[in-house]
Amino acid sequence: MFTYVVNKCSAVRLSLLLIAALLLSACVAPALLLSPQGQLMWAMIKPMVGLDPKEVNLFEQPLIKNRLEPLLGEHYQTAVSLLNTADEIKQQGIKQQGPLFYVASNYTPLPQLAEKAGFVWNAETNQMAVLISRGGATKIFAEAVEKKAKTVLPVWPDELVDYAQMASNPQKLLQQQLEQQKQQLLEQPQQQLQQAIDAQKQQLIDAPKQQFKQAIDAQKQQLIEAPKQQLEQAIDAQKQQLIEAPKQQLEQAIDTQKQQLTDAPKQQLQQAIEAQQQQLSEQPEPQLKKLAAPVPKQD
């Protein structure tokens, strides 16, 4: 029983090792078939597939730069400037196992010099090639490689085939560009009309929302400003009272003094008359008669 379990475990381990070997052979086998320089190139560029060529400094790597500079000459900087606009380093083939590693520019930062650039390295032939396209014409720069005494022409990925064909037929690319421009001119009015319709729809949708929002904002503003206005009115009223109160008191005091000055002589005269009347009423009647008798004349 123990022997059976051990043998069974050994069989499982052996199966796993065989599966791992098969998986590794799928990746390693192509590299083992290359020349020493090709193996170095494969080991460098294979892990970079899917990465941004500018971020990984692909064209500053000595294995590539030392081969492209003499190949491109004065066109080296132009080609690299365009190639660095690519999103990623690509590998053509089923499940990215093909021999072509390439980079295709997305746009041109130097329209006066070139409109499109492409780079390809063929792992089977260890050949590098670059194409630069401008004005409907394409220039191809390819390393000289011989195989069985025959010159090997560069192989291009599907994305760059049309541009590569322009090297022998520049009118084809020009015709494609003209057709693209026509298509853009045809689609532009439709896009503008659609944009106008969408804008009107959006306005019709947004208008009630904006009006409702404006009404709410106005009510909020009124609710905020009403207490302020009431407070300001109360403060102004208090200020006015504080200003007018001393004036009223002063006017009242002046009027009182005037009245007192006017009434004082009248009261004094009235008091004098009443005093004389009192004195007259208190004197005896004979004295009054005596006082009232006529004075005798003297001879």
Side-chain angles (χ1 to χ4, degrees):
M1 180 68 179
F2 178 74
T3 304
Y4 171 75
V5 173
V6 171
N7 291 337
K8 186 176 182 180
C9 292
S10 299
V12 172
R13 288 181 180 177
L14 181 59
S15 299
L16 292 174
L17 288 173
L18 289 173
I19 293 171
L22 289 173
L23 292 174
L24 288 173
S25 64
C27 297
V28 176
L32 295 177
L33 298 176
L34 303 177
S35 64
Q37 188 182 29
Q39 291 179 9
L40 290 175
M41 185 69 183
W42 179 284
M44 181 197 71
I45 199 170
K46 177 62 177 176
M48 293 183 179
V49 173
L51 302 179
D52 188 320
K54 186 175 182 180
E55 291 183 358
V56 298
N57 293 321
L58 176 66
F59 298 103
E60 296 299 323
Q61 302 297 325
L63 285 175
I64 295 178
K65 186 175 182 179
N66 292 342
R67 293 169 66 176
L68 288 186
E69 280 186 330
L71 176 65
L72 296 173
E74 62 181 1
H75 302 288
Y76 175 77
Q77 288 298 335
T78 300
V80 170
S81 297
L82 268 72
L83 292 171
N84 278 332
T85 66
D87 293 330
E88 60 178 330
I89 302 167
K90 300 179 181 179
Q91 182 180 7
Q92 180 166 298
I94 300 174
K95 296 182 180 180
Q96 294 186 342
Q97 295 301 323
L100 300 183
F101 295 82
Y102 69 98
V103 175
S105 64
N106 279 338
Y107 62 92
T108 173
L110 304 168
Q112 70 279 10
L113 297 179
E115 299 165 0
K116 185 74 175 181
F119 161 82
V120 64
W121 175 66
N122 190 336
E124 290 181 348
T125 61
N126 192 27
Q127 183 185 42
M128 286 187 185
V130 175
L131 64 80
I132 300 175
S133 178
R134 179 177 181 271
T138 298
K139 292 182 179 180
I140 291 179
F141 305 85
E143 291 179 321
V145 175
E146 290 187 0
K147 190 174 183 180
K148 295 181 180 180
K150 292 183 179 181
T151 302
V152 177
L153 297 177
V155 180
W156 298 96
D158 296 340
E159 187 174 346
L160 297 173
V161 167
D162 288 341
Y163 288 95
Q165 290 177 351
M166 297 310 106
S168 57
N169 186 9
Q171 295 298 325
K172 184 176 180 180
L173 181 59
L174 182 60
Q175 184 63 30
Q176 288 179 348
Q177 292 176 345
L178 290 174
E179 289 177 358
Q180 290 176 355
Q181 291 177 358
K182 287 181 181 179
Q183 189 64 26
Q184 290 176 354
L185 292 174
L186 291 174
E187 292 176 354
Q188 188 174 6
Q190 295 179 356
Q191 292 176 351
Q192 292 176 349
L193 179 61
Q194 186 62 38
Q195 289 174 354
I197 293 173
D198 292 340
Q200 289 180 352
K201 287 182 180 178
Q202 192 63 34
Q203 289 176 356
L204 293 174
I205 293 171
D206 292 341
K209 293 181 180 179
Q210 291 177 351
Q211 293 175 354
F212 182 61
K213 188 175 183 303
Q214 289 174 354
I216 292 175
D217 292 340
Q219 290 179 354
K220 286 182 179 179
Q221 192 64 26
Q222 290 176 356
L223 294 174
I224 293 171
E225 292 179 354
K228 291 182 180 179
Q229 292 176 351
Q230 293 175 355
L231 180 61
E232 289 177 356
Q233 290 174 355
I235 292 172
D236 292 339
Q238 290 180 354
K239 286 181 179 178
Q240 191 65 25
Q241 289 176 358
L242 293 173
I243 293 170
E244 292 179 354
K247 291 182 180 180
Q248 292 176 352
Q249 293 174 356
L250 181 61
E251 289 177 356
Q252 290 175 357
I254 292 171
D255 292 339
T256 302
Q257 289 179 356
K258 285 181 179 179
Q259 189 65 32
Q260 289 176 355
L261 293 174
T262 303
D263 294 342
K266 292 181 180 180
Q267 291 176 355
Q268 292 174 357
L269 180 61
Q270 184 66 30
Q271 289 174 358
I273 293 171
E274 290 177 355
Q276 288 179 357
Q277 289 178 351
Q278 185 66 26
Q279 289 176 0
L280 291 174
S281 62
E282 291 177 354
Q283 288 181 359
E285 187 176 350
Q287 290 180 357
L288 290 173
K289 290 181 178 180
K290 186 178 179 179
L291 290 172
V295 179
K297 295 181 180 181
Q298 294 180 2
D299 295 333

